[in-house]
Amino acid sequence: MPDTLITGAGAIGLQTAYLLAQSGQQVTLLDQSATGQESSWAGGGIVSPLYPWRYSPAVTALSHWSQNFYPGLGERLLAETGIDPEVYVTGLYWLDLEDEAEALAWAAREGRALSKVPAAEVAQAVPPLGAGFSSAIHLEGVANVRNPRLLQALRARLQQMPNVQVIEHCPVTGFVRDGERVVGVRTERGEFLADQVVVAAGAWSASLLATLGLSLPVKPMKGQMILYKCAEDFLPSMVLAEGRYAIPRRDGHILIGSTLEDVGFDKVPTDEALASLKTSAEALLPALADAQVVRQWAGLRPGSPEGIPYIGPVPDFDGLWLNCGHFRNGLVLAPASCQLLVDLMLGQAPILDPTPYLPAGRMGRV
């Protein structure tokens, strides 16, 4: 019987499994589909919240820890698996912000290298940028990670570890209990037992916990994106304006995102979103008007109040732990979230004060 069973094999579940296995635990990781095919795959991979100054200190703390961790994680996974997650440091420009003064004040408090930049300087630094932007702020050192490759590398690393079992296409339908203790999960393939169970099922976490009579305020929020292919040196930096962003990959792919739609578990891309995203793309980078959209897709973010994830034990259900509800920031918050959870599970000194993330007092009953 494994020490820990994790349901959900996205960025959160994979990194939680990785850390627990490194500590010597036997880990089983279950997913309802293939590894890393939901919101972790569908996002843009910016290693920063889109507007970090608009979030609570709880999100900021996880974000700062993870941002410092990602370059080393990328190098380690490349060395261990031969798969490069492509942690690409480009910096990020925000254009024509309404709350620019608040952003600069936040940066001063947090010691972040965010600075106001003249529009002419931005035009010189980012040649394909559209005209008409009057103000900009810039944060150097911000990276993006090629999230599908990060997920592939994590999956490959877990496959190398003899104390990890990954089981795909195995939906979890409920929990196995021994009195007040959760001792496993029920699936379409039968029961899987473990000493501890971690729910890292993203937008599906709430429906799973509802089988225990628990009400978790996490719901799916649809996001659609489109992808262009340009020359490798087309876009030297990430840019963001009016809620839409452009992210360059090293090989010239440009991601444009994203929508934010409250439509339940619908993941079907729409023509309306395509038109809206193309309009945003061409306003940011007019040359994209002559480029072809390579792909359009949608994912379901695990929306939660204030975007603060649930990390820690579930009260009154011994053996049950949560690591879910990261909303738009699952990828950037994953390293810190997973390390914090593992610290709590193993009784180690936590990397951060866990209080803001604990499920206690933040959940109800169905």
Side-chain angles (χ1 to χ4, degrees), residues 18-94:
Y18 184 29
L19 292 171
L20 286 170
Q22 282 185 318
S23 77
Q25 284 211 0
Q26 293 284 335
V27 181
T28 296
L29 182 62
L30 303 177
D31 197 90
Q32 64 181 350
S33 58
T35 300
Q37 293 300 299
E38 296 295 346
S39 64
S40 300
W41 177 92
I46 302 175
V47 187
S48 170
L50 290 184
Y51 302 96
W53 54 89
R54 297 178 187 174
Y55 284 94
S56 71
V59 173
T60 298
L62 291 172
S63 173
H64 283 189
W65 195 96
S66 295
Q67 286 169 326
N68 294 331
F69 187 82
Y70 256 112
L73 175 63
E75 293 172 3
R76 187 161 64 253
L77 287 171
L78 174 59
E80 292 172 342
T81 69
I83 300 171
D84 188 358
E86 294 187 18
V87 180
Y88 184 25
V89 179
T90 65
L92 174 58
Y93 288 94
W94 287 268

Side-chain angles (χ1 to χ4, degrees), residues 44 47 70-72 74-75 78 83-90 142-147 149 227-238 246-255:
V47 187
Y70 256 112
E75 293 172 3
L78 174 59
I83 300 171
D84 188 358
E86 294 187 18
V87 180
Y88 184 25
V89 179
T90 65
V142 180
N144 68 76
V145 60
R146 198 155 184 172
N147 37 313
R149 297 191 180 181
L227 181 71
Y228 294 89
K229 180 67 168 69
C230 302
E232 290 185 15
D233 59 352
F234 171 71
L235 182 62
S237 175
M238 295 181 283
I247 305 171
R249 302 302 199 204
R250 284 179 177 157
D251 63 1
H253 279 101
I254 308 295
L255 284 78

